[in-house]
Structure formats: C-alpha cells, structure tokens
Amino acid sequence: MLPEFENTEIAFQYRSNSALKRAHFLFSSMASPLISKVGMSMTQLSLKWKLPVKGLIKSTLFAQFCGGETMDEAAQTAAIIGKYGVNTILDYGVEGKESEDDFDKAVPEFIKAIKYAATNKNIPFISMKVTGFARFALLEKVHAGATLTEAEQSEYTRIFNRINAVCQAANDNNIMVLVDAEESWIQNPVDDLTNAMMERYNKTKVVVFNTFQHYAHSRIGYLKKSVQHAKENNYLLGAKLVRGAYMEKERKRAAEMGYPSPIQPNKQATDNDYDAAVLHCLENIRHLAVFIGTHNESSCLKAVQYMLDHSIPAQTERVFFSQLYGMSDNISFNLANSGYHVAKYLPYGPVEDVIPYLMRRAQENTSVAGQTSRELNLISKEVKRRKL
Ligand SMILES: Cc1cc2nc3c(=O)[nH]c(=O)nc-3n(C[C@H](O)[C@H](O)[C@H](O)COP(=O)(O)OP(=O)(O)OC[C@H]3O[C@@H](n4cnc5c(N)ncnc54)[C@H](O)[C@@H]3O)c2cc1C
C-alpha cells in the first residue's frame, strides 16, 4: 500500500504543542517575501555588527532546522525522531572555512562524529562537503583542468588524505558517508575524490555516496556511467539523488561568463531526469544503494510504487529516503510509519557558523507569488487538529 502523506498526526507526532506553534509562526513569517527579505538582511547585518541576536536565531530558525550546537544536543534530537523510526544523518553544518588549519581541524571533528554515530543506533550516516577539507579556488583550478604547481599538488594530496581518513573511519565503524554536491564548477574533483573513495571502500557494503544534482542536464548521463563503472570494476555505487540547491547562482554565473547554462530549461525537465534517475537506480539495485533526497511527494511515491511492483522490500539496506530536519515531516514520518528507511539531515554546530545554511532554508520557504507553502498548510492543519 502506498503511504499517505496527508496524515499530519503521524507527521508531527514528535513535535510538542509549543514546538508546533513556533513552527507555525516561523513558516507564516517566511511565507511573506517582505518579512523574509527584511528578516534575512537584518539577521546578517546584526551578526556583522555583533549585535546580540544569537538567542533570537537560536529559538527560531535554528530550533526549527538544526539539531543543536553540539553533537550531544544533536543526539538528543536524533533520539526523539528515532522513537518514530526516523534515523539521522549528522551534518556538521559549519561552512565557509578557508585555511589549511581549519581543514586539518575538520578531520578529527568528523571522525569524532563517526565514532559517536557508531554508538547510536539512530545515526547510520554522516554527511560532508569536500569544501570542508579543501580550498575552493584549488578545486576550481582542478575542475578547469589547469596545471597545478608543485605546492598545489601537495595541497591536493592533503585533501585526498583528509577525505580518506574520514572514509576509512566510516568504513571501520560501519557508518555511511554522504558527499554533498555543491557548485558545478568544482564538481569534477568532487566526483574524482568520491569515486576513488567508493572504489576503495564500497567493495562489499556501501560506505560512500556521491551526489547527483538533476537540475544539471548532464548528470543523468553521468549517473548511468557511474553505475556502469561500478559494475565493471566490482564495487557498489552509492548514489545520492537530489534536484540541486544552487540554481540561481549557476544560471547567473553562466550568463555573466557567457557559457551555456548547465541547468535544465525548466522544472519539468528537472523532475523528469530526477524520476528517471530513481528508476535507473532501482532497476540496477544489485549494483548500488540509492539515497532519495527530496521533498517532492510525487518522486517519493513513484519510488515506492516501483518497489511495491518489483517486490523490493521496504526494509532493504539498498534504498533510503531523506528529507531535511524541520521540513516535509509529512513525507518522512509517514514513510517511516510504512516501514521504509528514512533519515533526516540534521545539521549541528555553533549558531553563527550555520547561518548560511539557515539563510538557504529561509529563502526556499519564502512564498512565490503569495502562495501559502505546502509546509505551512500542513502545520496549520495539525494546529487545528490539536485545537491549539
Ligand atoms: C536529504 C537532502 C540532501 C540534500 N543534499 C543536497 C546536496 O548535496 N547538494 C545540493 O545541491 N542540494 C542538496 N539538497 C537540496 C536539493 O537539491 C533541493 O534543492 C531541494 O531538496 C528541493 O528539491 P526537491 O526535490 O525537494 O523538491 P521540488 O520542490 O520538487 O524541487 C525544487 C527544485 O527543482 C529545481 N527547479 C526549480 N525550478 C526549476 C526550473 N525553473 N528549472 C530547472 N529546475 C528547477 C531546483 O533544483 C529546485 O531546488 C538536498 C536535499 C535533501 C532533502
């Protein structure tokens, strides 16, 4: 039977009345483009001027979208959603660091998270960004195929070693690593590094996943090549499928620099490739594990329908569904309730360091053309049902 995404009682069972009211207030505010825009600018200015806004952010956006400031706080959140069969992906949400010292420090931080996750049955995954271990400009240079100086070559070797140390720890502790996709102009080295890790660690189980952004028209072809490569070289592919989060930035850069946009011509084209990618992975499930990272109900339902039609059990270790913490609980909790593997991306870290992540969440929940978001409709429905 297909899961029912309209059930808000199941969707929000982990939320107390006060947390639900806070979510209602937050999504109502974000629904207004004006409030959202003013709020985001004021937040950024206040942080720049070192005004005391941390408490306010922590009790609003941060509480909705993040697990806590520390791993222990995140684990408490993981335990709450774990009670309802929803697992956690620990996401150390710090972004924008650029020094070798920061990159070196990130390695033990990730290994600590892996060891911590290994002691917690609700946390089977961690996620990482290659830019957490590497200078963006160097990745850009490698992507462009430029010749590296000797110093740059050793810098690149250090990046490889950092990522390898994290993946090795994940392998040793039976934790899976999701490597996020970022801007297209650094994607080649991200693919190369992740492929090297998959070949090394995904021999008998899937430890490492690469991410495929299907708003880029070239990615479906690359996904198919990756499946083929895994088959021919006797390892399992880890395929994390998303639509992609940097569309405006991608289009803007392409227009400014005068090259053809890597982005699909319209939303339908992205949706078509996304669903085709899920299908291709499910058809080749013997050779891979697929991680369906989406808030799109139709894509989730199509995947479930295929699994039902082809007798792929809900509890297979090869198919995972995932949404971000604080969003699309109707999908996550109803899928988990029907027995599917579901995990929430749970960012954690100091409030000031996760601001870029929070701003992306605020932006994507701002209403277009005055429509009430699906999220707000569902929260309102549950507020009414609970007679709050
Ligand atoms: C668990 C998880 C992990 C994620 N990890 C990553 C990651 O590593 N890297 C990353 O980039 N993003 C990541 N994302 C974000 C993701 O890429 C999407 O931005 C977000 O999930 C919205 O897409 P959707 O599939 O949920 O739903 P939908 O709301 O159906 O799709 C919205 C998406 O469609 C695409 N789109 C919208 N309008 C157009 C248009 N006019 N033309 C072409 N395409 C269009 C955009 O990608 C947009 O984000 C992740 C999301 C989740 C849930």
Side-chain angles (χ1 to χ4, degrees), residues 89 129 179-182 211 213-215 240-247 251 263-271 274 291-297 299 321-324 328 343-345 361 364:
I89 299 147
K129 285 189 166 49
V179 181
D180 285 357
E182 303 174 67
T211 300
Q213 294 160 313
H214 292 285
Y215 65 9
K240 175 184 154 197
L241 309 179
V242 299
R243 280 182 169 75
Y246 305 86
M247 186 171 73
R251 284 187 168 148
I263 303 298
Q264 307 267 15
N266 51 48
K267 171 80 162 60
Q268 191 58 51
T270 301
D271 291 347
Y274 190 87
F291 179 100
I292 303 169
T294 181
H295 299 142
N296 185 299
E297 293 176 11
S299 293
F321 292 87
S322 180
Q323 291 75 40
L324 306 181
S328 295
K344 286 285 212 189
Y345 248 65
R361 298 293 79 78
E364 95 197 359

Side-chain angles (χ1 to χ4, degrees), residues 195 198-199 202-203 223-238 287-288:
N195 289 339
M198 288 196 289
E199 286 202 57
N202 289 11
K203 289 284 180 208
L223 170 73
K224 289 180 180 171
K225 265 196 206 149
S226 301
V227 174
Q228 195 56 32
H229 190 266
K231 271 186 202 172
E232 286 167 7
N233 293 277
N234 298 316
Y235 67 93
L236 295 160
L237 181 75
H287 303 283
L288 54 84

Side-chain angles (χ1 to χ4, degrees), residues 14-15 83 89 101 103 150 180 184 198 205 224 239 243 246 252 270 275 319 327 332 344 367 376 383:
Y14 77 104
R15 289 280 195 207
K83 270 199 255 166
I89 299 147
D101 191 38
F103 301 145
E150 234 172 78
D180 285 357
S184 63
M198 288 196 289
K205 58 179 179 179
K224 289 180 180 171
R243 280 182 169 75
Y246 305 86
K252 188 163 171 266
T270 301
D275 292 338
V319 183
M327 287 176 68
S332 314
K344 286 285 212 189
S367 127
L376 181 57
V383 165

Side-chain angles (χ1 to χ4, degrees), residues 154-338:
S154 32
E155 191 181 340
Y156 196 70
T157 305
R158 287 197 296 280
I159 299 168
F160 181 95
N161 291 340
R162 289 182 193 117
I163 291 171
N164 184 50
V166 173
C167 294
Q168 165 97 57
N171 178 61
D172 296 349
N173 287 278
N174 273 323
I175 294 296
M176 291 174 275
V177 179
L178 300 160
V179 181
D180 285 357
E182 303 174 67
E183 290 83 351
S184 63
W185 52 101
I186 59 163
Q187 191 58 46
N188 291 348
V190 172
D191 284 338
D192 292 346
L193 290 161
T194 312
N195 289 339
M197 297 301 137
M198 288 196 289
E199 286 202 57
R200 194 174 273 200
Y201 297 109
N202 289 11
K203 289 284 180 208
T204 55
K205 58 179 179 179
V206 180
V207 177
V208 182
F209 287 73
N210 196 14
T211 300
F212 301 83
Q213 294 160 313
H214 292 285
Y215 65 9
H217 45 70
S218 64
R219 280 313 255 184
I220 183 104
Y222 187 71
L223 170 73
K224 289 180 180 171
K225 265 196 206 149
S226 301
V227 174
Q228 195 56 32
H229 190 266
K231 271 186 202 172
E232 286 167 7
N233 293 277
N234 298 316
Y235 67 93
L236 295 160
L237 181 75
K240 175 184 154 197
L241 309 179
V242 299
R243 280 182 169 75
Y246 305 86
M247 186 171 73
E248 307 301 338
K249 204 172 169 183
E250 290 283 352
R251 284 187 168 148
K252 188 163 171 266
R253 184 176 190 267
E256 277 169 9
M257 295 177 67
Y259 61 87
S261 170
I263 303 298
Q264 307 267 15
N266 51 48
K267 171 80 162 60
Q268 191 58 51
T270 301
D271 291 347
N272 292 347
D273 271 12
Y274 190 87
D275 292 338
V278 172
L279 184 67
H280 189 72
C281 287
L282 291 173
E283 283 169 352
N284 287 279
I285 204 69
R286 279 187 336 106
H287 303 283
L288 54 84
V290 61
F291 179 100
I292 303 169
T294 181
H295 299 142
N296 185 299
E297 293 176 11
S298 158
S299 293
C300 292
L301 287 176
K302 283 181 187 151
V304 169
Q305 188 66 59
Y306 184 95
M307 290 171 76
L308 290 169
D309 291 347
H310 295 82
S311 306
I312 301 175
Q315 277 298 305
T316 170
E317 289 302 327
R318 294 291 176 88
V319 183
F320 302 91
F321 292 87
S322 180
Q323 291 75 40
L324 306 181
Y325 181 73
M327 287 176 68
S328 295
D329 287 337
N330 65 315
I331 299 181
S332 314
F333 286 82
N334 284 303
L335 275 175
N337 190 57
S338 301

Side-chain angles (χ1 to χ4, degrees), residues 3-37:
E4 206 225 295
F5 293 148
E6 301 303 316
N7 188 327
T8 59
E9 185 175 357
I10 290 176
F12 298 111
Q13 56 199 337
Y14 77 104
R15 289 280 195 207
S16 65
N17 286 350
S18 60
L20 195 68
K21 279 200 269 187
R22 185 199 57 223
H24 189 263
F25 168 75
L26 199 65
F27 280 94
S28 308
S29 311
M30 287 188 297
S32 151
L34 185 66
I35 298 181
S36 215
K37 202 170 166 204

